């Protein structure tokens, strides 16, 4: 089981990966396999992070069998959060 700090890092990495993949087209998402590869986290931690972010209303997850994300898309609230973080970084 991941530590609190690792879980927070995983969630942030997922959001960043989705935001970068989106490139202005909010209809784009990532497959669960691509996201897991981009973020380099264990499958069970990916599922837990996606569940958390979906519950927060930041992403939408289409689930495959075995509690595995099949497709993950950044929602409007998630885009706003990432844009806000990007502005704060400037």
């Amino acid at each position: 089981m991941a530590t609190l700090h690792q879980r927070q890092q995983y969630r942030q990495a997922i959001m960043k990966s989705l935001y970068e993949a989106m490139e202005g087209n909010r209809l784009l998402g990532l497959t669960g396999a691509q996201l897991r590869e981009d973020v380099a986290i264990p499958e069970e931690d990916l599922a837990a992070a996606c569940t958390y972010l979906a519950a927060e209303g930041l992403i939408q997850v289409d689930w495959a069998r075995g509690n595995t994300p099949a497709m993950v898309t950044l929602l409007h609230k998630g885009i706003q959060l990432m844009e806000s973080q990007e502005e704060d970084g400037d």
Side-chain angles (χ1 to χ4, degrees):
M1 177 89 176
T3 65
L4 173 62
H5 182 68
Q6 287 171 317
R7 290 191 309 267
Q8 290 170 332
Q9 286 181 320
Y10 293 159
R11 293 190 297 256
Q12 185 60 34
I14 288 168
M15 293 295 292
K16 182 178 179 189
S17 183
L18 287 168
Y19 185 66
E20 289 172 355
M22 188 186 78
E23 295 183 24
N25 184 349
R26 86 180 264 190
L27 298 177
L28 291 178
L30 291 175
T31 65
Q34 183 63 51
L35 188 56
R36 187 174 61 249
E37 184 178 313
D38 288 353
V39 180
I41 64 175
E43 192 168 327
E44 66 187 31
D45 292 326
L46 175 65
C50 286
T51 299
Y52 179 94
L53 293 169
E56 291 294 311
L58 301 173
I59 65 173
Q60 177 180 340
V61 183
D62 294 327
W63 295 97
R65 288 184 173 197
N67 197 31
T68 303
M71 180 61 87
V72 185
T73 309
L74 198 57
L75 295 175
H76 183 72
K77 185 176 174 183
I79 295 168
Q80 288 178 314
L81 175 68
M82 295 308 294
E83 287 175 348
S84 162
Q85 289 178 3
E86 190 174 24
E87 286 176 352
D88 291 346
D90 291 343

